[in-house]
Amino acid sequence: MCSFGSPHNAGIPLSAPLHDGVLAMSAANETARFLIIDDHPLFREALHSAVRMAYPDVDTVEARSISEALTLLADPKPFDLALLDLSMPDVHGFDGLLQLRTHHPRLPVVVVSGHDEPKIISEALSYGAAGFIPKSVRKSDLADAIRSVMEGAIHVPEGYEGQAPDDESADRAEMIRRLAKLTPQQLRVLQMLRQGLLNKQIAFELQVGETTVKAHVSEILRKLNVYSRTQAVIEVSKLDSADLFREPSGF
């Protein structure tokens, strides 16, 4: 079982978000508001319990999918923190984290996952996660980790040292940097391209004209520095680390 020590930034990439724990609160003296994004009811309850241990008066809201989370985040009343499980039913790999970071770049998102391999931790941080908490930790450690993130720290498991850069990780980091340039609408179009949808189908789903879709696709290719839709799908699919996302035992 992992445990947490003092917050530290060892091995954290420069693309990790910088957040201010004081400014993260909606307003002085207001109740903190957290969004719990997990499709397992039992673990959502465990997260509720840990959150209340850290903040007894916290207002917690649940989402069982990324699409539901994005709908809730459209609420004018802001959230101070999101706790995200990577293995969600409507996304693959890091797609959910990327969507949250693209649509709500100022919202601290902490990954709480049963997949705690160093490579996954490194990639979550490179996508801009405000911290990473293994699901195997004790409730008290989880509460401490949440407090540290709310105070402005980037929280990682004790003993995590990051990964030495190599050519593959450098290429992945560069593609992540390019993906961050996409607008939310362009990101949605890219996700539909990965699903194999044609321009006509994408236009129907987004309720826009095919000309608009073609313009989005052109911008996606330009920003990702690729020459075709197929190449864009192939290059982005390399980021999935599908072999690392096998369902772990327990939560």
Side-chain angles (χ1 to χ4, degrees):
M1 178 176 293
C2 297
S3 61
F4 285 82
S6 300
H8 62 88
N9 291 326
I12 295 175
L14 295 177
S15 57
L18 299 177
H19 62 280
D20 188 317
V22 176
L23 294 179
M25 301 299 292
S26 301
N29 300 321
E30 282 195 11
T31 300
R33 192 168 189 239
F34 292 173
L35 178 60
I36 296 173
I37 311 169
D38 197 298
D39 64 325
H40 293 283
L42 189 57
F43 197 74
R44 287 201 304 271
E45 181 55 37
L47 278 176
H48 275 292
S49 180
V51 164
R52 292 193 186 103
M53 180 180 289
Y55 295 95
D57 298 324
V58 71
D59 177 16
T60 56
V61 180
E62 295 182 0
R64 291 162 291 183
S65 65
I66 294 298
S67 57
E68 185 178 354
L70 291 173
T71 298
L72 291 168
L73 286 167
D75 189 326
K77 186 176 180 181
F79 286 89
D80 298 293
L81 184 73
L83 299 167
L84 170 69
D85 181 16
L86 290 176
S87 301
M88 299 296 291
D90 55 341
V91 293
H92 184 75
F94 294 96
D95 285 352
L97 177 57
L98 181 59
Q99 287 188 56
L100 294 177
R101 294 291 297 145
T102 302
H103 287 79
H104 303 278
R106 301 297 298 172
L107 174 70
V109 180
V110 175
V111 171
V112 185
S113 177
H115 305 282
D116 57 359
E117 296 87 348
K119 184 174 183 179
I120 289 184
I121 297 174
S122 294
E123 292 198 26
L125 296 174
S126 71
Y127 273 96
F132 192 102
I133 307 173
K135 283 189 173 182
S136 58
V137 300
R138 297 184 298 271
K139 184 169 68 173
S140 59
D141 293 326
L142 180 55
D144 288 343
I146 292 169
R147 287 192 196 95
S148 72
V149 171
M150 290 297 289
E151 291 169 0
I154 303 295
H155 210 101
V156 295
E158 183 178 1
Y160 170 74
E161 298 295 340
Q163 289 195 306
D166 54 26
D167 291 341
E168 181 183 355
S169 62
D171 290 343
R172 295 170 74 87
E174 175 60 22
M175 182 53 67
I176 291 170
R177 186 186 66 79
R178 292 174 186 170
L179 281 170
K181 295 180 180 180
L182 300 183
T183 66
Q185 191 76 323
Q186 289 165 2
L187 184 60
R188 290 186 66 191
V189 171
L190 177 58
Q191 289 165 341
M192 291 179 184
L193 291 178
R194 295 183 67 189
Q195 295 168 11
L197 299 187
L198 303 175
N199 285 357
K200 184 175 182 179
Q201 295 170 305
I202 296 173
F204 177 79
E205 290 290 334
L206 298 181
Q207 297 185 338
V208 297
E210 285 190 57
T211 302
T212 300
V213 174
K214 290 179 181 178
H216 282 317
V217 171
S218 295
E219 275 298 286
I220 290 168
L221 300 184
R222 183 184 68 82
K223 290 180 178 180
L224 297 187
N225 194 27
V226 295
Y227 301 100
S228 69
R229 300 158 61 111
T230 301
Q231 187 184 4
V233 170
I234 291 173
E235 291 301 316
V236 174
S237 295
K238 292 178 182 178
L239 301 177
D240 287 341
S241 298
D243 57 319
L244 296 178
F245 280 89
R246 298 190 183 98
E247 195 64 30
S249 59
F251 288 119

